[in-house]
Amino acid sequence: MEAQRPRLAPIQVTELNLDGPDGAVLSFGPAMSGGGGSASPGASPGASRGDVYALVRLRGRPVATVVCHVPPGKNAADVVAVAARAQLAAADRSGHLGGRTAEGPAAVSDHDLPRTSVVVATRERADQLARALDSLLAQDHPDFEIVVVDNAPATGATQDLVEHKYADRVRYVRESVPGLAIAHNRGIAVADGEVIAFTDDDVVADPHWLTALTAPFAADPGLGCTTGLILPARLGTPAQILLESHGGFAKGFAPRSYDPARPPADEPLFPFTAGSFGSGANMAFRARVLRDIGGFDPATGTGTPARGGDDLYAFVSVLAAGHRLRYTPEALVWHHHRETWQDLKNQAYGYGAGLTAYLTALLVRRPALLPALLRKLPRGLAHARTITAHREAATAAVPGAHGAQDYPWPRHLSRLERRGMLAGPLGYAKARRRVRGVPLPWSPPQGGRQT
């Protein structure tokens, strides 16, 4: 087992802001420093050496990531800029340059942005939470609140942090029943925003994140949900590098809308390919729509035997109710991937379990979807199995893109993911028994019912 672990050197995560494909470098430096990629105090454009993973921005907008090697004695900004311009030029010629498509976001004034509640569910990770809250409090959105939901706490660390350091700026709510979906539902119950955004305690949000994530709601009254771009905050361990090199959480740099009235031709399994829509660390819902669908299924998500699937269930439920979903890459958060090999193994198993748990939840709670789901389910499960098999054969995009070294997705991680798929329905059944009788923390819509 030990021999299957790739030996990888840390990769520096940076940002490069260009004026245009052939323009000047406006800024280059460590990621997450704010201000669209400006270097942090004491950093210099030539400070990076070795393998570099850079977010590329055009006039401040995220449009690509580039991976390159900075040789000793070379200026990192120059090396990364050359690689970035070549990649952007190729994408522009092929018509796949994200951020410059006709689907770009409509201009929305600050006055039109909806009042928003940001919900962060957490459990016993006060240090990480503080980092996330600092970034959320720096958002350029003009009208928002932050709600921290402390899920089944074992200590008073989270409450002490919020009440002592963020007393007048963050609301603290306790939810004693364990489970991410249950914690999110508690946040929905107390939120006062027209839009409710969700992120995790292990992210750092770009200062423009909340504005970009919520502006589409003002532009489209039929929109029920938005998701955004998730990039790695650090690539310091083999587990972090391996996860990011084989997909990570990013969904690309081209904005996209999903409309149930016009199913996308390139997704025959729509809307059950919910994993392509986004992830729970970066999502927002129109509050009325989210409450109308019953919120998140409490028998799904981290902290339950189902292990995941809460976000996927919500995405499909919004689409099934006739609302549109939009992915917008300008809504950026930096995610701290788990660092250890055991974390990666747990994540692989959890992905598989969450996938089939969410499909089971749809069968149980939304029987009207049953004919379409059963019709597409065999292809969906075959597709999921193909993905894990493809990972085993594929070489890494990070850092293999510049020829440093190539390595496949370890077979035992694929086996863990498949084992999770088999366990997901049973895990959901166990979780459902545990939460039976737990009421929604808000009144369901008239004529609606809770199952």
Side-chain angles (χ1 to χ4, degrees):
M1 189 71 70
E2 187 71 26
Q4 297 185 47
R5 303 186 187 186
R7 299 180 181 274
L8 302 171
I11 300 173
Q12 297 183 65
V13 179
T14 64
E15 290 192 60
L16 178 78
N17 196 2
L18 297 174
D19 183 58
D22 300 313
V25 175
L26 299 182
S27 58
F28 175 82
M32 303 178 298
S33 57
S38 300
S40 59
S44 67
S48 297
R49 290 291 182 266
D51 295 328
V52 174
Y53 172 103
L55 167 66
V56 182
R57 298 179 187 256
L58 288 179
R59 293 173 291 279
R61 296 177 62 184
V63 294
T65 55
V66 62
V67 181
C68 61
H69 183 78
V70 180
K74 296 292 186 179
N75 182 281
D78 293 341
V79 173
V80 176
V82 168
R85 289 179 185 126
Q87 184 168 312
L88 292 175
D92 204 18
R93 287 193 298 270
S94 64
H96 292 102
L97 181 56
R100 294 179 62 184
T101 67
E103 262 200 286
V108 174
S109 70
D110 285 354
H111 178 75
D112 293 328
L113 288 171
R115 163 73 174 171
T116 300
S117 300
V118 181
V119 174
V120 184
T122 186
R123 187 177 191 273
E124 302 303 335
R125 299 203 292 189
D127 290 344
Q128 293 190 58
L129 176 63
R131 181 179 59 202
L133 292 178
D134 288 342
S135 72
L136 293 175
L137 289 167
Q139 294 299 299
D140 61 12
H141 192 289
D143 185 17
F144 69 98
E145 66 164 354
I146 300 172
V147 178
V148 167
V149 182
D150 195 3
N151 189 212
T155 72
T158 298
Q159 184 173 4
D160 289 344
L161 171 73
V162 174
E163 294 184 350
H164 293 155
K165 185 177 180 180
Y166 304 100
D168 299 326
R169 297 172 293 170
V170 176
R171 297 170 62 190
Y172 173 87
V173 179
R174 180 187 178 110
E175 172 53 65
S176 298
V177 180
L180 181 59
I182 290 175
H184 280 168
N185 284 344
R186 176 61 59 188
I188 296 169
V190 303
D192 65 16
E194 177 186 344
V195 168
I196 306 176
F198 298 87
T199 192
D200 292 346
D201 59 10
D202 55 2
V203 309
V204 173
D206 181 82
H208 191 60
W209 166 69
L210 193 59
T211 294
L213 192 65
T214 59
F217 291 99
D220 181 3
L223 191 67
C225 176
T226 59
T227 61
L229 177 64
I230 304 174
L231 294 181
R234 293 183 66 252
L235 292 172
T237 71
Q240 291 174 328
I241 295 169
L242 189 63
L243 175 63
E244 188 61 32
S245 69
H246 288 274
F249 298 97
K251 307 301 177 187
F253 291 87
R256 183 163 188 183
S257 292
Y258 296 91
D259 189 341
R262 300 175 181 82
D266 60 341
E267 292 197 17
L269 302 178
F270 178 86
F272 303 113
T273 50
S276 65
F277 304 151
S279 298
N282 191 352
M283 61 185 182
F285 299 83
R286 199 177 298 276
R288 171 184 51 80
V289 170
L290 188 56
R291 293 188 178 109
D292 284 353
I293 66 169
F296 299 90
D297 185 332
T300 59
T302 303
T304 73
R307 304 289 291 267
D310 50 313
D311 50 352
L312 308 183
Y313 173 85
F315 296 155
V316 175
S317 296
V318 166
L319 290 164
H323 305 283
R324 286 182 287 277
L325 182 152
R326 182 173 180 83
Y327 170 73
T328 176
E330 285 195 68
L332 165 66
V333 300
W334 300 91
H335 182 263
H336 284 81
H337 297 348
R338 303 299 169 84
E339 297 182 358
T340 71
W341 196 253
Q342 185 60 49
D343 288 333
L344 188 58
K345 291 167 64 178
N346 293 342
Q347 208 159 15
Y349 182 88
Y351 284 162
L355 172 64
T356 52
Y358 116 79
L359 291 172
T360 305
L362 288 176
L363 285 171
V364 171
R365 299 193 62 184
R366 302 199 173 274
L369 295 176
L370 181 59
L373 179 58
L374 291 180
R375 189 168 60 249
K376 299 180 178 183
L377 186 58
R379 292 182 62 190
L381 293 177
H383 176 69
R385 186 176 177 86
T386 300
I387 289 175
T388 61
H390 175 72
R391 282 176 178 163
E392 295 174 5
T395 56
V398 178
H402 58 82
Q405 50 188 309
D406 296 327
Y407 52 89
W409 182 256
R411 291 180 181 274
H412 71 279
L413 292 182
S414 293
R415 289 195 295 268
L416 277 173
E417 195 166 354
R418 292 168 188 158
R419 196 179 304 164
M421 290 179 190
L422 294 175
L426 179 59
Y428 177 77
K430 290 180 178 178
R432 188 169 169 82
R433 285 195 298 270
R434 291 184 184 182
V435 301
R436 191 177 301 277
V438 176
L440 279 176
W442 69 88
S443 298
Q446 189 172 4
R449 62 186 182 92
Q450 184 183 359
T451 60

